[in-house]
Amino acid sequence: MKKTIELYQTFLTHLERVTLAFAMTLAAVLLLVNAGGIIVEQLMGSSLVWVEEISVLLFAWLVFSGAGAIARRNGHIGVDILHDYLGPRQMNVIKVIFMVLTLIVSWVMVYHGYKMAQFVGRSQTSLYLDISLFYYYLSVPLGGLILGLNAVGAALPGAPEKDDLMDKVEEASI
């Protein structure tokens, strides 16, 4: 069982690196697209109509993939005072409760998010670029999947600490 947990944590470490690199790439492209849109608007007097569509698409993917990636290191907003007053045994119970609740939310995101992506993607496209809205909504189930996998990893032994999160972001950017 210990070997399985170690393999799962190793898998999550690789998934985290890929996800953070993906999120940082999306953030960079989002910055460039918006900066380019502002520059063109200032120089030409009219804006590029597709900048908003691309920004919404990139931002959705950035938020949902990034939120899932930081769950394993408890990077989301939490109540740190609990750590000071609860012992290790109580904190393990809290971790399991968090994992169960997060898995419920993840299931909703994956199941209903995919159904919504299919429903919307059948007939709706973005206004200017004619991109199927399926790709916009697909970020929700993917983010839910990453969130669920990392929630399980956070509850298992060997999960990395919150303090190491910024080190991983720096590693992924190199």
Side-chain angles (χ1 to χ4, degrees), residues 19 48 51 65 68 77 88 106 121 126 145:
T19 305
L48 300 171
V51 169
S65 63
I77 296 172
S106 296
S126 64
L145 178 64

Side-chain angles (χ1 to χ4, degrees), residues 7-121:
L7 284 172
Y8 187 69
Q9 292 291 7
T10 302
F11 163 73
L12 289 179
T13 299
H14 293 298
L15 178 65
E16 179 182 81
R17 286 183 182 147
V18 169
T19 305
L20 289 176
F22 178 68
M24 285 186 285
T25 302
L26 290 178
V29 172
L30 184 62
L31 174 75
L32 292 174
V33 165
N34 282 296
I38 291 168
I39 291 169
V40 167
E41 183 175 0
Q42 293 298 315
L43 292 177
M44 305 300 242
S46 65
S47 63
L48 300 171
V49 294
W50 52 267
V51 169
E52 183 180 352
E53 287 183 9
I54 293 294
S55 295
V56 169
L57 177 64
L58 294 174
F59 191 70
W61 279 91
L62 173 66
V63 166
F64 285 108
S65 63
I70 64 173
R72 184 166 152 239
R73 294 180 185 270
N74 299 316
H76 291 283
I77 296 172
V79 182
D80 288 337
I81 197 166
L82 290 177
H83 293 273
D84 297 336
Y85 291 109
L86 297 177
R89 186 178 178 118
Q90 290 89 359
M91 283 309 298
N92 286 338
V93 171
I94 297 280
K95 284 182 182 180
V96 170
I97 292 170
F98 169 77
M99 179 191 68
V100 170
L101 293 174
T102 304
L103 287 176
I104 292 169
V105 170
S106 296
W107 180 82
V108 169
M109 288 175 68
V110 171
Y111 181 74
H112 292 290
Y114 188 72
K115 284 179 67 174
M116 180 60 108
Q118 284 183 317
F119 175 74
V120 172

